[in-house]
Amino acid sequence: MVKEIQLRISLKDEARNDILIIKSAYTLDIDKEDITGIKVLRKSIDARKPKIIFNYKVAVYIREKLPETSAYKFDYKDVSKAKPIHIVGFGPAGMYSALRCIELGYKPIVLERGKNVQDRRRDLKAINQDHFVNEDSNYCFGEGGAGTYSDGKLYTRSLKRGDVRRIFENLVFHGATDQILVDAHPHIGTNKLPKVVQNIRETILNYGGEIHFETRVVDFIIKANKIQAIQLQNGEELAVNSVILATGHSARDIFYLLHKKKIALEAKSFAMGVRVEHPQHIIDSIQYHCSGKRNELLPAASYSLVNQVNDRGVYSFCMCPGGFIVPAATANGEVVVNGMSPSKRNNLYANSGIVVEINADADLYKYEQFGPLKGLEYQKNLEKLAFTAGGRSQVAPAQRLTDFVEGKLSNDLNASSYQPGLKSAPLHSLLPKLIGSRLRKGFQAFGQKMTGYYTAEANIVGVESRTSSPVCIPRNEQLEHPEVSNLFPCGEGGGYAGGIVSAAMDGERCAEAAINIRK
């Protein structure tokens, strides 16, 4: 017999190894000797009150063995001689498109402009230490996409777009810890995700798929409203039948290419702002109602904040407890910041994007000459401004949080995890009023919601601009572009996802759609 129950465990009791058995036996009114095993289905922490509670959902096995394997099976087939599906981009959407193609008996041929995860490391080092951005290999481009080196957060609200559990189980199948199946806000960690990504690559290759790194697509040969061939940067042309376009939110050259070829695009609302960094102990003390070091059973505390300011949302984005800020530019001449955390989330700082909603229809009237690319051009201008304000390198412009809100230049800055370095700059006057004024009011509101959050010990760092794509590539009910019948816009780059899990689910859907069209 198996019984699913909810348990509430105090922080003191959480330290006991046998507490789940004891609590389960008491709740079910049975002898604990009758319990043959307990499987944790979900775990979360309720720290709203000083008495912290661990909430568990568990399956209690009563005189019955726990299953040894997952109920999920991945039926990968030898597709070395099967019909091909071409996939442009090897981030989460591209990876899961390729895996789904193999399950369905089609051969994925992946074209990725960047390098594999191992070779990417040298280019990331060059950004941090030498301030040089390789425009094809950086924190956004390369095997695994932007998610590989930006924390591996797996939380999603896109529960109706596909089977979330299936995505998680596939990550576990490829080496992720099964803890992601349990945690309410799961993540893999920057230090562990590259190995998972490598394992996915090996699965694709072992079953007959192809992955071509450092292979940049520069043109589509279109005839009779269909892509006949893909042209590569080296001049080679590849004949194609179906193309899944999974290039990510920062592949601006693809947006420019489609626009130049008069293929329909749409301006999309998005968000931009800054990244705020606090000492982690400040966030811990606020969230866990403690002074000094947090209890060792508690993870580095996180937060989620939102406030409406002048009819626009101001909210936290990609919050990284125990993490660090990284340079996420995809070209020289721009500064972009993002955040990441290792699996243990044991760094000294907590950082989060704090961004302002940009309404593509109402807020970008000065950029109307750029048509569907108006948001992209607005985004670029802000990144160029940050580059100039930081001293024309990957040094980022920064300000103490309180100085930003009060409108004065910081005489000095707090220590930071951002490796290229910070330069004091008047972000309160440099940021467009649309963003800056709302951020200043938003930070004040957040300080009221979290006493201690609004502090001179925090820095804001500019700019956080790649939250999502400012361009949507339209598609119909069959997930094809309405004007190019064998083109399947996919994932974050198409405007259909907002993170690793939603992009992966969309990748699977696009693979299924591309295959159904071919049948």
Side-chain angles (χ1 to χ4, degrees), residues 52-120:
I52 294 172
I53 298 294
F54 289 78
N55 290 315
Y56 283 90
K57 180 181 180 181
V58 299
V60 184
Y61 287 74
I62 305 169
R63 295 184 294 276
E64 184 174 326
K65 284 187 176 181
L66 270 74
E68 295 182 0
T69 59
S70 169
Y72 280 79
K73 305 296 179 186
F74 300 99
D75 183 20
Y76 297 125
K77 304 173 176 67
D78 181 359
V79 295
S80 55
K81 297 181 181 179
K83 294 178 181 178
I85 301 286
H86 285 77
I87 301 168
V88 184
F90 200 49
M95 289 191 298
Y96 273 79
S97 291
L99 291 172
R100 190 66 180 137
C101 283
I102 293 172
E103 284 187 285
L104 297 174
Y106 282 74
K107 179 178 181 174
I109 299 177
V110 180
L111 310 173
E112 166 56 52
R113 69 192 294 168
K115 301 177 183 179
N116 65 45
V117 286
Q118 291 83 5
D119 292 341
R120 277 179 82 180

Side-chain angles (χ1 to χ4, degrees), residues 174-195:
H174 285 99
T177 171
D178 59 7
Q179 191 65 30
I180 67 173
L181 304 175
V182 173
D183 289 342
H185 290 268
H187 90 122
I188 296 176
T190 302
N191 53 324
K192 293 188 175 182
L193 190 55
K195 181 59 178 176

Side-chain angles (χ1 to χ4, degrees), residues 68 108 164 372 464 469 499:
E68 295 182 0
V164 174
E464 171 80 50
S469 173

Side-chain angles (χ1 to χ4, degrees), residues 492-514:
E492 290 203 38
Y496 301 101
I500 291 173
V501 175
S502 58
M505 288 191 292
D506 200 57
E508 290 199 332
R509 292 179 65 214
C510 285
E512 292 164 3

Side-chain angles (χ1 to χ4, degrees), residues 113 127 133-141 249-252 327-336 383 394 466:
R113 69 192 294 168
I127 299 173
V133 180
N134 181 326
E135 297 188 4
D136 288 316
S137 179
N138 45 62
Y139 278 97
C140 289
F141 299 147
H249 59 46
S250 291
R252 290 169 171 168
T330 53
N332 293 291
E334 63 191 27
V335 165
V336 180
E383 293 167 3
Q394 285 303 303
R466 305 287 180 93

